[in-house]
Every structure is written in structure tokens, then in C-alpha cells.
Amino acid sequence: MAYQVLGSDQLRRSYASDKPVAQTAASSADAAHPPPRNKKGADTDLHQPRATQALLFGMNIDGPGYNVYALGSPRSGMTEFVLSTLGDVARHQPASSDLCYVANLEKPSEPVPLILPAGLGRRVREDITNLLSNLATTIQSNFSSDEFRNRMNEILDTYRQRQEQDQEELRKEALGMNLAMLPTPNGFAFAPQKDGSVLSSDDIEKISDEERETYAKSVEKLSEKLRSRLIEYPALQQEILRKQRSFAEASAKNILSTLTSQLRSRYQAHSTVIAHIDAISDHLLRNIQTLLALGAHDNGTAFESGILPDQLKTYEVNLLLDRTVEDHAPVVYESNPSIENLVGKLEHRIEFGMPVSDYSLIRPGALHKANGGYLVLDIERVLNKPYAWEALKRALGDGFIRIESVNQLLGMSYSVSLDPGPVPLSVKVILLGPRWIYHILRQHDSDFDAQFKVLADFADEVDWTDANQLAYEDELQQFTKRANLKPLSPEALGRVLEHGSRLVADQERLTAHTEELFDLVREADSFANTDKSEQIHQSHVNDAIAARIYRVDRVKDLVLRHIERGQTVVSTQGRCVGQVNGLSVMQLGKLVFGQPSRITATARIGRGEVIDIERESKLGGNIHSKAVMIVANFIGYQYAREQPLSLHASLVFEQSYGGIEGDSASVAEVCALLSAITDMPLRQDIAITGSMDQHGTVQAIGGVNEKIEGFFEVCNSSELTGTQGVLIPASNADNLMLRHEVIEAVERGAFQIVTMTRIEDALAVMFGEHGSPMNINSIEDTIKQRLKHFYQLWQKAQRSGQQNNDFDSGGEDDEAN
Amino acid sequence: MTKPTRIVYAADRVPSDDAALRAIEVLTGSRQLQIQSVFIRDSNLTRAATLSLTREVSREGTIRPLSPDNINAHFKATAERMRAYIERLAGQLGYAATFSEMEGLGLSAVEILGSAADFVAIVNPAPETRSAPHNRTLPRIRCRTTTLFVNEPWLSGTTVLIAYEGDQSSAALDVAERYALQTNRPLVLLTPSGLETTTLPPHHTVHKISGEWNEAAIASACRQLNAHLLVLGYSTSEAWESGPSYLINSTSCSILEVLDAVGTEGINSGRLQRRKSHQ
């Protein structure tokens, strides 16, 4: 026989038996916090060599679209690993560029980016600020100097003198005509006067008509004369202003030339800086009134505070990225990848109730910060932010960063729009995300493949080798140091690793989800604190695991209680025809648990149909239906190869009110069907799980630990009989990481785990009696005889011409019987 | 308790800024100013507006009759703005202030009020632009007290000048020195060419006026030295036909006429002199 009863040492991989390499090294070092024994990058699977290689490939290859999608669980520590790996590589790459924005003096709505070598941005900003400050001081000093003012006044005096001369002439002429020339709010008025006083109405009444006429004519004459002169003044004034402006421009040009000469020399290799200096000079000279306004300050201390006059602030440099202290390429992780945090944003200030912006309010995004280096993003977060994914793809596709807000994209911007010049982009983007998003993007986003050509596939589990165990121990101990937790005792360390193996249900594998184990250590530390222990011991880890289970297993207790009270019928003793204990796994949030399911079968003469009641009632999934078809064909092929399978059988999961899916009940279903066909009882103290092929080979199933533990708990809730146990596929033996209470029961002979490789193994065990297997030949003979008998009955029925009516409908047949 | 310094603050237009009041603070050395602000309605203009044959020529060259309604409305609006301005400014500075209107021949009407004050400030507001000083024609005014003629806008110039004629100018020198010191400005003494060097106070920059010592020469020096404030003794301008009004009309700086021995004849001695005697 190929079935095998497993020993307790086969039911779980124990850390204690495998620890010598790690334990020796650990105990010889600092007992509290052993130093790391594995450097990152060591060739352990824990460090994801496949993904690392892909990551490094993506980082090192030039060319469009060679960005990386790092595929894996966020619980695997992938983010930290990617950032750490990128950091190691970036450390040997040159620092990226500084980024500044300056006003576009020709097109104010399109600020100009200045891309400068690292550290130069700050210097340029300081130099430009100093230039402006010096300019303010020099212009103020120069334009308020006696020499400048005198020259400006000289120019002005020609106009003043002309005005005063005209005024004086007219005043004297008016006086000669006994008229006063009076300044009025709008100009001048001429009125009759005597001895400096204007005549009153009464005075005018007293003079003769001739005199009045003379006054009127004189007033008309002088008014006309004054008018003819006044209308010449605007042109004269314009000419004066032009001369003054020319003089001021010439003075300013000299000052600017002197002040900028040193900067031009210093930045001769940086054409964009020179262009900005030129732009400042040109703009100031074209807007000389700006400088004249500075000159109007007569207080020499006006600029001592270091605050630039408002007129000059528009020429300042907005330094967005200062990499003065950076000596390598940037690695940026943006945890909130909204569109504004990716491509930068324009801040606003309120002026007259309206939001306005200018180049000084441009703020960098993650793409700016990572430009020349690496940008790491969580794809789920990117996709959750409106327009962020589109903006990211657009930037990568165009090779430029363009600042655009959601409001602008939606046409909802109420502020004066600003369109900052685009910044050339050279960045490697590493997206962190789960597998399903990767496949969805590949399928539905035509840009994705072209822009993310490299896949770094992070495994969810790793082999439990010595090297990986060492690496894991280091990770765990380093974690306790980082998190300021108590150190793990060797036994506790082993218990945590065993839990890592249990999480992936494999004695040969460990979970790669380091975060899961870190959380367990953190929780165990809490129990160690309660115990006032200096170390985290194995018992603390056990407590933490038990507490985790307890927190979520209320539903499991409910299920168990229903079985105990007989509300859910599960037999764990005796034998029964057409009934077997299958095992299923339920997942409710974080709770995963196994439970026995009573599978029953019926069989009678028929046309070779096996009815899957779950499917008929639309409670069975496709895989389960497929499995039932395999079962039916196996029975026909194995036991009725030379005759029609003349039976009508049915299968059902009793008291199952939810859906049934999967093929792990295939072996159990075969047992139930054959029991129903042969009327031979099946053991109820053995639960069975396993799928099978059409030839009867038993195949592995999932959730083996939970299933065994589920049946164990049901049996253990009364009293273990000593014959109870679970029949599992032999190929699942390596997946066993059972709880200690199950192992203890096996050790004392109260429970057993039996493996099978073929269906015959299951039949031998399940049809056995008093703990002994039944001879398989005997079983098979019985089956064959029974099927043959069915066939004979079927033939007989055919001959009697009743077969159509009697056997087409099971319901009618049942009623007939 | 210190007696408040009574200030007459007169203008026929709304002052352009608080420079005058700030200067008065420095010049009087008092933080207790009692400001009597006066708006002068030009009687000539009022009368002229009632005459049908009067014509007004606007700066744009339009000739039209001078409307009494327009002139009255202008006076009313300007007076109201000046009142609001003074009240706000006095409130900010913590001074007591009153406001009144009076009619007279330009700012000279303030002479009567000024005689009863400790200090008179006559604001000669500039026209709309400094390049058009056509209506900056302050008549000769003698207030018999220390008088500040403010040539607005009072932004130009850096130097404090004093027309120094010897001992008789000592009161003016005292004020000029203090003002220059407190406003951190250079002080230059303008002196007649014939003045004995030995009579000059030490440690001062001196600018001798060559030729005749008259208002035209001093006005020229004011322009040349970029004057901010010209300080005169009362006796200095006494001899001039137009008093300080010529200087007001022909320079950009403001003028401070300090009461001295000539000015005090027959009237109370000035507050500034009293302070000097305490030093």
C-alpha cells in the first residue's frame, strides 16, 4: 500500500532542528542584538535576486520607456528594499541639477526655467539678489545725487522757465489791463482787479459800459493768448520727459554695465544665466520709470534692511531645487502622488479677492525632485489620484515636466493663468504595485508597455535554506533594533521563522512578506513587556500568534459550536454508507479556518449520470463541476470500462448554504459515490481531502494545515478516540506546518495524519474497519460486481421497454420506488 | 504739566502727506501739539467767480466762464478732505486738532491767526506736477511767530541750510542744528561774503554767497546745494521786499522763518527761544 501514516516529526518543520548555522553565529556575537551577518545584496533569496537583477537592469539601461514596474506585495518590504537598492546605486551617480524659475520679462505668463549644475542655483539666486540690491542702492544713490538731480532739473527747467516766463508775461500784461491772473482748480482765470483785490459785482456795476467792454475784451484776449500757450505744453512736456528718460537711461546703462560685468564673467559658461541678466538689463532700461521711482527715495537707508524694493522683486530667482548638499543622484519616494505633487504646482495669493500667481509661486513636484535620478511611486495611489497617472505618462512620454493643475485640466481655473516653461525630464520611475494592477494596465493601457518595459517580480515566498534563514534572522534582529524592541531569543527567532513557514504553508519555504513577521515580533514584544522580560521568548511569540487568532476567530467558534450541538451534522465516529467527511477552508477577512463538510452520495440504476447537486442548484463553481465530471469518468473508466456505466448518482455537500468551489473534495466524492454504489460503509473518524485526475492519481490541494486543524478541533471538542485523523495527498506532506496541539495529539497516538498517492489508498483506508485498512482488491471487486449488477438491471429494464420513462427522471423514479 | 504747543496749520489745498507735521514735531521738540488747522478760501477767486466777464482757461486749453457753483463746490470738497485728513493724522499722532475755514487773500489770511500761536505752518501745496509750478505763488506773509513754509511735495533735497548773518541768527542756527542732527542731514551755513570768519560758529560747513546778499542769491544757493530746508532768522527776511515768499516760489525746499530779536519786538518771546535759554 502507498498510503503512509506520518510521524509527528513530519508534521511541521522545526527551527530547532535546522538552526546550527545561524544559532552558532548569533550566540557568539552580541547576545542582545547580534550584528548583521548578511550584507544587503548577498545572494540570498530573501533579497530577491530576480527582482534585484531586473531593478538594476532597469536602472542601468538607457533608452525611452525603461522604467520599472516592481510587482509584489506591499507586506514584503518591497518599498524599503527598492529604495535601499536604488540608494546604493544612486550613491555612485552624480548629483542632479538645480532648478530655478525666473520671470519671462517678454511673456510674463510663461516663466522660464533655469537648469543649473548642483549648487549653482543658490549662488545664482544670491548673485542676482545682490545685483538687484546693489542696483537699488546704486540707482538710489545715483539718481538722488546732486549731479543727477541737477541735470534732470536743468532739463526740466527749460520747461519750467517757459511756463514761468509765460505766466509772468501774462500776469504783467494782465496787470497792465487791471486784470488779476488767478490760479483756479482747473487752470487760470482772468478777472478785473484793483490793488491786488478782484472787483466785486457791485464794483463792476459802478463802472461804465465802456470800461466793462474793455475788461471783457481784455479778458478774451488774454484768455486766448494763454490758451494758445497752454496747448503747446503737452508736446513740450513730452519732449522734456523724453530727454529726462534718455539721460536716465544712459546713466542706468552705465550702472548696469558696471554691476553686471562681474556676473557675466562668472557665468559665461551658463548661457541661461547670462540671458536672464541681459533680460533684466533690457527690461529695466525699457522701463526706466522703475529706476526713477527708486531714485525718488531720498533716504540713504532705504535698502539697508536687505529687503528689495517691490519694483525689483520681479527680477529675483525662484530657486525650486537646491542640491547644494547633495552629492549623488536623487532617489525620491512620493507617498502622496497627486498630480500637483508629481508635476509641481502654482500657489496663489489673493489680490482684490482673486487668486493670482506668478513665477515666484511655482513649487516643484516629485518629478522635478527626482529628475536625474529615481522616482518611486505606489501605483495604487497614483491611480487613485485624479489625472496623476495621465500626467505621469505624459511627462515620461514627452520627456518634459509641464506644470498643470486639475483645475486647469478641467477648465475651472479662475486665476490668471500661468504656463511655466517645461523642464526636460530624465528620470527612472519605479512603480510599486500588485500583480493584478500590472496585468490590468498591460491589457487596458496602451502606453503602459511602452513606458514600463522592465518588470521586477518580487516573490511572495523564498526557500527555507540556511542562507535565507540567516538573512531572515538578521532582518528580524535588525528590525528589533530599528524599532527599539527587545531582542529575540534564539527560540523566539525560530518560532517567528516557523510562523513564516506556516504563512506560506510549506516546510521548505518562508514567506517573503517580512512585514508580516515584523508585526508578529512587535506584538510579541508587547507580551514580553507585560512579562517584564529582557528578551522576546518563544512563549511571547506563541502568545502573540494565539492572540491574533483569538481576535478574529469568533466565527470559527460559532461554526464549531454548531457542530458540537448537532445543528451542523458531522460524524466523527463509526461508519456510514454514502457519507464522508470532506474538508473545506473558509476565509473571512483575516480569519482562515478549515471545517469538515459532510459529503453524501446516492446511487441507483440509471444512464451513467452523476448529478452534482451543487451545480444544479447553482451553488457550485466551475472548478467543482469539472472535478465532479472527472470523478464520474474515473469511476466509469476504472470500474466499468467494458460496459456502460448504468447508474444515476448524485453528490452534495450537506448543510452547505454558500457556494462550493475547488476540486479538493474529489477523492472524498469518489469515496462517497463508491460507498453509495457498493452499500459499503465509510469511516467517519477519518476526514479526507485531495483532488484527483481521471486515472485516480491523488493531487495536492491548498489549505491543508487549516483543514487538518479544523477536523482536529471538531474531534477534540469531545474526546479523541485514537482512530481519528485526516487523509491528505502525499504531495501535500511538505506543506504541513501544523499547530503544536495537533502534533502533540499525533505524538501520543490520539490523532493521525495519513498520506495517499492514489485513490486506491483512500479507498483502503476509508472502507477499513477498526483502524485497519480494507483490501483494495476486495473493494474493487465489490465495486465492479455492483456496477455489473446495475448494468444487468439496466439491460433488463431496457428489454421491458420501461427504461425511458423510469430512468429519465430521478424524481419520478424516486416516487415510483 | 507741560503746556501744549499751539500750532496753526494753514493750507488752501489738501496737504499731500504728513511730512510737514513730522517736521513740526522735530522743530518744536514737543509731543503735545495743539493743532488749529485752517482752510483758506481764496476771496479773489470767490469774487471772480461772481463776475460774468471772468474767463477760466483750463490746462487743456478750454476757455469758459468761471462758475461760482464750481468754485464753491471745489472749496467745500477740498475743505472737507482737509478736515478729514487732519483729523485722521492728528488721531494717528495723538494730537489735539480743530478745523476751521476762513476767507482771505490766499494764505496771507493766516497772519491774524498766527500771531496768537507758538508756531505756524503754512502749507503751499504743489500743483499736480512739479513741472508746473504756475500756481505756486505765495504772497508775502508775516505771522510774528516762527513760521514753516512747506513747499509740497516735500520730498526733494538733502541739505539743511541756514542763512547765517552773525549773532542775530543764533536762534535760527539753534533750530537748524537740532533739525539737521535729528534728521541726520548735513547742515550748511550760507553767509554773506563780508561776514567776519571769526564770527562763524565752529565745525560747520560754510557756503559764502558772493555778490549781493539777497533772496535771489539764496534761492540760487538752495538749488545748487540741493536744499531740503532753509532756515532764516526773522530779521534776515525783514529787509526783503517779498519776505520769504520769493524763496517759496522759486525753490523746491521748505522755509523755516525763526522768530528772533526783530520778530519779538512788542510780542511774546517765542517758545523756541525759551527752550534755548534752558539749555
Side-chain angles (χ1 to χ4, degrees), chain A residues 171-188:
Chain A
R171 195 182 65 79
K172 283 183 177 169
E173 193 174 345
L175 210 57
M177 298 174 179
N178 285 327
L179 293 175
M181 184 174 166
L182 304 169
T184 70
N186 297 311
F188 290 95

Side-chain angles (χ1 to χ4, degrees), chain A residues 144-146 149-150 153 156-157 159-160 163-164 167 179-180 182-192 195-204 212-213 215-216 219-220 222-224 226-227 230-231 234 237 296 298 301, chain B residues 13 42-45 47-64 66 70-71 74 105 128-137 154-159 184-185 223-226 228 249-250 252:
Chain A
S144 62
S145 69
D146 292 350
R149 291 159 69 100
N150 286 340
N153 281 334
L156 186 60
D157 278 350
Y159 178 55
R160 279 182 181 163
Q163 283 188 322
E164 286 170 7
Q167 188 180 331
L179 293 175
L182 304 169
T184 70
N186 297 311
F188 290 95
F190 292 102
D195 301 331
S197 293
V198 171
L199 299 183
S200 66
S201 304
D202 292 343
D203 294 335
I204 291 294
R212 275 200 295 276
E213 183 66 21
Y215 274 132
V219 167
E220 289 296 332
L222 286 174
S223 296
E224 187 56 41
L226 176 59
R227 190 188 74 82
L230 285 176
I231 58 177
Q237 199 168 9
D298 65 345
T301 62
Chain B
R13 298 192 183 192
D42 188 334
S43 55
N44 265 347
L45 203 53
R47 214 174 296 141
T50 62
L51 303 180
S52 58
L53 50 78
T54 305
R55 291 291 178 273
E56 180 187 38
V57 184
S58 74
R59 277 186 286 279
E60 297 77 33
T62 309
I63 302 173
R64 60 198 172 196
L66 190 60
N70 284 350
I71 292 299
H74 166 72
L105 281 177
E128 284 68 14
T129 64
R130 290 188 69 77
S131 59
H134 55 270
N135 55 358
R136 199 169 52 187
T137 49
W154 201 5
L155 298 172
S156 62
T158 54
T159 316
N184 196 27
R185 295 174 186 278
R223 288 194 291 270
Q224 189 184 345
L225 297 172
N226 196 24
H228 167 76
N249 297 331
S250 57
S252 298

Side-chain angles (χ1 to χ4, degrees), chain B residues 151-227:
Chain B
N151 228 348
E152 287 207 319
W154 201 5
L155 298 172
S156 62
T158 54
T159 316
V160 178
L161 299 181
I162 171 171
Y164 187 79
E165 295 177 301
D167 288 344
Q168 65 194 72
S169 304
S170 59
L173 178 61
D174 179 44
V175 177
E177 280 178 337
R178 189 169 65 252
Y179 185 78
L181 184 68
Q182 292 192 19
T183 58
N184 196 27
R185 295 174 186 278
L187 175 65
V188 176
L189 272 58
L190 303 180
T191 60
S193 57
L195 191 68
E196 288 291 331
T197 311
T198 52
T199 63
L200 292 173
H203 314 305
H204 284 298
T205 305
V206 175
H207 180 91
K208 288 196 173 183
I209 302 290
S210 54
E212 197 175 347
W213 174 254
N214 58 21
E215 57 265 58
I218 291 176
S220 173
C222 286
R223 288 194 291 270
Q224 189 184 345
L225 297 172
N226 196 24

